[in-house]
Amino acid sequence: MRGLLLCSIAVSLTSFASAAQVVGQGTGPSTQGAETPGQSFALQDDGTSLGGNPAGLGFLGGLELDFLHNGYLGTGPADANALYLTGGTGHLALGLGLDWLNNYTACTPAVSPAGPTPCSYRRTSVGGALRLGELSIGAVHRWFSGDSFLDSAWDFGALVRPVRWLSLGGAVLDATRPADLRRWVASAAVRPWREHIDLAVDLRWG
């Protein structure tokens, strides 16, 4: 169905810390938005790559519209919603994304020194990827509005599939923020049975 508008909806209840985190991480606030459930940076090759490894956009063909929702109602209500519009030719891809993030529990002291206050903001993402054979490289620029107290940031990623059954990915997230706020991802996946079963390992640090 290449060339047609595709719509996919992924809804999950995931931990607030990993999927809908809108407050501090490490020594400063996180720019993380909604995430695809069980995502691996080595396997992303559709429109949701705009929220993860931007290099995955390079493997996209046609137009795609994706809606993501992450929510958790344990210690306090919080949610993240995202709408991504992407399009690719198989060699060049572009995408626009909007994330709406809410944390009704508390901001971190770094964000709100006076004490706990609600956090709510919108994240806008514009990105693209270039595919050169089995290698794709991508970048996405993100900026924020609302009570975010966040600076704009760039993410960069790479994805290579030297053979059909092997996929390797890597990314530096928040690359233009101070060194102690950058996040790194290295990922490897095997796809032995035509993607019916995928096995992936992601290493994240920073």
Side-chain angles (χ1 to χ4, degrees), residues 95-203:
L96 170 66
L98 296 173
D99 290 71
W100 294 269
L101 303 112
N102 301 288
N103 169 29
Y104 302 104
T105 306
C107 287
T108 61
V111 175
S112 179
T117 57
C119 286
S120 178
Y121 63 88
R122 185 183 74 245
R123 184 182 76 167
T124 303
S125 303
V126 174
L130 177 64
R131 182 177 172 185
L132 305 170
E134 301 305 320
L135 170 66
S136 177
I137 53 176
V140 59
H141 183 228
R142 309 187 194 281
W143 64 95
F144 309 86
S145 63
D147 301 328
S148 66
F149 300 93
L150 292 170
D151 298 325
S152 62
W154 282 88
D155 295 350
F156 300 99
L159 183 64
V160 60
R161 293 177 171 172
V163 291
R164 181 191 59 79
W165 54 269
L166 178 64
S167 184
L168 304 172
V172 53
L173 310 179
D174 296 328
T176 54
R177 301 183 78 201
D180 61 334
L181 299 180
R182 292 176 196 150
R183 294 172 290 144
W184 302 80
V185 182
S187 179
V190 292
R191 308 177 301 160
W193 294 289
R194 297 183 180 274
E195 300 190 17
H196 294 299
I197 297 179
D198 299 326
L199 301 175
V201 175
D202 284 39
L203 177 62

